[in-house]
Amino acid sequence: MTAEHVAIIMDGNGRWAKKRLLPRSAGHRAGFRRMLSLCEHAFERGVRCLTLYALSEENLSRPKEEVEALFSLFREFFPTQAPKLKERGIKLRVIGGLALLPEDIRAMIPPSEELTAGGTRGTLYLALAYSGRGEIVSAANRAVKEGKEVTRETFSSFLSVPPVDLLIRTGGELRLSDFLLYESAYAELYFTKKFFPDFTNGDFDKALKEFSLRDRRFGRI
Ligand code: IPE
Ligand code: IPE
Ligand code: MG
């Protein structure tokens, strides 16, 4: 069984930098480089949806200097990566509390999504200023506005991503940190102590291999 939807909590950039006596921003830069390569690799491995937790809503409360360093990486991401994703047939969707992002970054999102909209090979969901609880609440509000009583099946259509098969967290913490709470209901969880900049394509393959050996019972026997 292959994982169609893999979601990654890309954690440990700061500690990776600290270990090398580098500023935290250097850890984010290293994580960014790793993310670009890993993203290419995942779709080559047949993953259809890849959701990357790049920034949580709570992360916006970190010191201004660090938040700005992260913003600079997103400023670089859209213009350089959208054409590459298009070339590779990958659709880009950005999810999260986008209203919390600086105006210039927000403005980069629709053109990047439009450029890649025709991609049929897979979808990359980039979670920015994201909160799982926020996503559920805003989905519920949209359903209410439409006057719809939702079921579990129809509620999913108000959410931003499909159900997660495999959820990977790097950096050693054993928690979800408000990521894809509804969509991960039956996700297989995979935790590794490796800091994200050290999480290689081979490590990703190892996680896929372990997923393929898991017995997903969905409550049955
Ligand atoms: C993950 O790395 C990236 C973001 C949360 C933006 P961290 O910055 O959380 O790194 P650690 O957990 O402090 O090592
Ligand atoms: C989760 O990591 C968010 C991202 C990786 C983008 P955090 O570093 O923010 O999570 P906590 O604070 O350890 O729970
Ligand atoms: Mg962290």
Side-chain angles (χ1 to χ4, degrees), residues 6-10 38 50-53 167-168 170 179 196 204:
V6 179
I8 309 180
I9 302 176
M10 304 184 292
L38 189 61
L50 181 69
T51 304
L52 300 175
Y53 201 5
L167 175 63
I168 299 172
T170 64
F179 189 44
F196 185 70
F204 181 82

Side-chain angles (χ1 to χ4, degrees), residues 10-29:
M10 304 184 292
D11 194 24
N13 294 347
R15 282 164 287 161
W16 180 92
K18 192 172 177 199
K19 212 173 97 183
R20 288 165 178 75
L21 307 176
L22 293 168
R24 289 179 64 85
S25 58
H28 293 312
R29 161 75 48 198

Side-chain angles (χ1 to χ4, degrees), residues 122-143:
T123 307
L124 171 66
Y125 294 98
L126 187 66
L128 296 185
Y130 179 85
S131 155
R133 288 164 300 174
E135 193 197 356
I136 293 168
V137 169
S138 86
N141 280 327
R142 268 180 287 132

Side-chain angles (χ1 to χ4, degrees), residues 8-13 15 24 52-59 62 127 169-170 173 175-179:
I8 309 180
I9 302 176
M10 304 184 292
D11 194 24
N13 294 347
R15 282 164 287 161
R24 289 179 64 85
L52 300 175
Y53 201 5
L55 185 74
S56 75
E57 189 184 307
E58 262 92 18
N59 291 153
R62 290 187 180 185
R169 181 173 188 144
T170 64
E173 309 298 357
R175 54 181 172 255
L176 294 179
S177 302
D178 206 10
F179 189 44

Side-chain angles (χ1 to χ4, degrees), residues 135-192:
E135 193 197 356
I136 293 168
V137 169
S138 86
N141 280 327
R142 268 180 287 132
V144 167
K145 261 199 196 131
E146 291 185 22
K148 286 193 178 135
E149 183 167 330
V150 288
T151 63
R152 283 184 216 176
E153 287 71 33
T154 62
F155 189 64
S156 310
S157 70
F158 288 91
L159 297 169
S160 3
V161 303
V164 177
D165 295 310
L166 172 62
L167 175 63
I168 299 172
R169 181 173 188 144
T170 64
E173 309 298 357
L174 307 178
R175 54 181 172 255
L176 294 179
S177 302
D178 206 10
F179 189 44
L180 301 177
L181 299 179
Y182 190 96
E183 299 91 329
S184 295
Y186 268 104
E188 292 298 325
L189 308 180
Y190 184 92
F191 296 100
T192 167

